[in-house]
Amino acid sequence: MVDPQGPDFLGDGTPNPDLLMGADLCDTHRPLGLARRRMNPRVYRPLVDLSTMEERHIILTYRLDRATIHELWAQLEPDLMSPIRQPTGIPPLVQVLSVLHFLASGSFQTTVGIASGMSQPMFSKVLSRVLSALMKYVRSYIIFPEVGELATVKGDFYALGHIPNVIGAIDGTHVALVPPRDREQVYRNRKSYHSMNIQVVCLADQYISHVNAKFPGSVHDAYILRNSSIPYVMEQLERHCVWLLGDSGYPNLLWLLTPVRNPRTRAEERYNEAHGRTRRVIERTFGLLKARFRCLHMTGGSLMYSPKKVCHIIVACCMLHNLALRRQVPFLQEDGRDGGVVAAVEPVESDEEEDDGAETDNRDRIIEQYFQ
């Protein structure tokens, strides 16, 4: 009796053609499928080579310069190495570059995959892997000011509009996505498209110090604020008398200053003017963020991923935005010119929140003390 698991049989129990026909027979005498596998070795497409690219082209393509990309690559490389180091694996640097290109261009996975030398299914896996690696370092890239930094932060904001003790501007912006079919209405925002509503706090230099990207587009800004960590953080800083600036979509709180609706005095008008000049930095931050990473912009189309993955994409873009600011990487337009100051990408429209009379006392004191 012949052992079906022995050398004369393949894994499925069929006779091994190599042994039955003789090991010295040429491929032309073998079954057609086997001959094709031997005669057509896999050919790999060439992968992107960062060393051959000019610096300005690198910044245009990846939104980071060569040195910053190498810094990011070195940080993420341990998480991007394949468990089995096979020559067919995608090198960590290529994984990083392909994801940076996707975030910067907002192109389809297939297009980015071709440019990076990999298939669409492979790029999908690479995207998930790089995003997961980045999420491990969120607290190293998005940091709320420490107590020792408050004096500097307040000085930077005072230079914008002469409102004292401000340590951040807060607002929400929408990032379009294709919603889950069973919860489509939850993601429809007030402008009638589907999105995630992103809460961001920024500093005077457009550095993002806080991001909350987990709420769907139908959720109001004030609700996101109440269910974020910001109230806790600001209450811990209460003794330092510091404030955030928000638009009329937020409630006026002891630590959150909003504009005066229907100002009746010249002092209130001056306060509103100063408030607008100072808070405008958050609009410029959104403009720069979405111009740098077109996947977040409406012109890049809707992100066709699960809400959780869209959240990771948004946070990753905020991290890379901060990295570019920290390394002073210029924002270049498509023709290679310096992008300069970027305006807000979308008009500011917020439903007005009712003011609580008890919470306006702090704002009234500021108006009386600094804007009379």
Side-chain angles (χ1 to χ4, degrees):
M1 180 177 179
V2 180
D3 180 8
Q5 299 301 319
D8 291 343
F9 287 79
L10 299 177
D12 58 359
T14 57
N16 188 330
D18 282 352
L19 297 179
L20 294 180
M21 300 179 66
D24 60 341
L25 295 179
C26 66
D27 285 340
T28 56
H29 293 87
R30 293 180 182 168
L32 183 59
L34 187 61
R36 283 179 179 171
R37 286 196 296 273
R38 293 288 182 87
M39 293 173 65
N40 298 311
R42 181 177 297 177
V43 177
Y44 295 95
R45 288 172 287 186
L47 299 175
V48 64
D49 185 0
L50 193 66
S51 63
T52 62
M53 300 174 65
E54 296 181 356
E55 188 73 10
R56 295 183 72 83
H57 184 53
I58 291 174
I59 296 175
L60 277 171
T61 305
Y62 304 113
R63 300 300 192 255
L64 301 176
D65 59 20
R66 193 190 313 270
T68 306
I69 290 174
H70 278 280
E71 175 188 308
L72 183 65
W73 167 37
Q75 184 178 45
L76 301 182
E77 185 176 20
D79 297 302
L80 301 180
M81 289 296 297
S82 175
I84 303 177
R85 299 188 180 186
Q86 300 174 344
T88 58
I90 306 297
L93 177 58
V94 176
Q95 296 182 51
V96 172
L97 292 177
S98 63
V99 172
L100 288 177
H101 184 199
F102 167 75
L103 299 177
S105 66
S107 298
F108 291 106
Q109 286 189 357
T110 302
T111 304
V112 176
I114 291 173
S116 304
M118 65 184 76
S119 65
Q120 184 276 327
M122 176 59 73
F123 175 75
S124 181
K125 295 177 181 178
V126 166
L127 177 61
S128 297
R129 176 179 262 183
V130 173
L131 290 175
S132 296
L134 279 168
M135 292 306 105
K136 295 182 179 181
Y137 301 98
V138 171
R139 297 186 184 277
S140 299
Y141 285 82
I142 301 177
I143 308 171
F144 205 82
E146 300 287 344
V147 172
E149 302 169 321
L150 294 181
T152 300
V153 174
K154 289 189 290 186
D156 293 340
F157 270 107
Y158 187 79
L160 296 180
H162 293 176
I163 298 183
N165 299 331
V166 176
I167 63 169
I170 185 170
D171 202 357
T173 188
H174 290 263
V175 174
L177 84 163
V178 176
R181 291 183 179 180
D182 59 338
R183 290 175 291 161
E184 180 266 343
Q185 283 301 116
V186 177
Y187 291 87
R188 187 179 296 276
N189 60 34
R190 65 180 182 272
K191 297 182 182 179
S192 298
Y193 69 88
H194 302 100
S195 67
M196 299 293 290
N197 191 358
I198 315 306
Q199 176 185 275
V200 169
V201 178
C202 76
L203 305 185
D205 61 357
Q206 302 181 49
Y207 179 93
I208 293 174
S209 59
H210 167 85
V211 59
N212 188 325
K214 64 183 180 181
F215 287 93
S218 65
V219 177
H220 193 274
D221 291 351
Y223 179 88
I224 297 176
L225 175 64
R226 288 193 298 268
N227 290 275
S228 71
S229 62
I230 287 298
Y232 173 79
V233 172
M234 293 303 295
E235 287 166 6
Q236 299 304 305
L237 297 174
E238 183 177 358
R239 66 186 182 88
H240 297 281
C241 299
V242 292
W243 309 306
L244 299 180
L245 297 186
D247 63 15
S248 56
Y250 292 99
N252 193 76
L253 304 171
L254 290 176
W255 46 265
L256 177 58
L257 302 179
T258 61
V260 175
R261 291 201 303 271
N262 305 317
R264 292 171 294 180
T265 67
R266 182 58 187 143
E268 291 179 345
E269 291 176 354
R270 283 195 289 264
Y271 164 79
N272 277 0
E273 292 168 1
H275 186 285
R277 286 196 305 270
T278 308
R279 201 195 66 82
R280 205 166 293 134
V281 67
I282 188 68
E283 300 172 25
R284 294 196 297 270
T285 299
F286 288 145
L288 180 58
L289 175 68
K290 292 188 177 183
R292 230 181 202 135
F293 301 105
R294 303 298 291 186
C295 68
L296 304 182
H297 197 281
M298 287 285 293
T299 58
S302 300
L303 290 168
M304 296 183 288
Y305 304 96
S306 68
K308 181 179 180 180
K309 195 164 188 176
V310 170
C311 172
H312 288 172
I313 289 173
I314 294 167
V315 174
C317 289
C318 293
M319 294 169 62
L320 297 171
H321 166 88
N322 284 352
L323 177 60
L325 290 179
R326 190 184 75 198
R327 295 297 298 263
Q328 299 182 338
V329 180
F331 169 67
L332 301 181
Q333 297 177 345
E334 292 304 319
D335 59 5
R337 294 183 292 111
D338 190 324
V341 177
V342 181
V345 268
E346 55 188 21
V348 178
E349 294 182 11
S350 296
D351 297 331
E352 291 190 347
E353 188 79 2
E354 290 294 330
D355 281 339
D356 184 341
E359 300 288 6
T360 61
D361 291 345
N362 184 49
R363 184 178 65 189
D364 292 342
R365 283 194 299 269
I366 293 170
I367 294 173
E368 181 180 355
Q369 184 174 356
Y370 294 99
F371 295 96
Q372 289 290 353

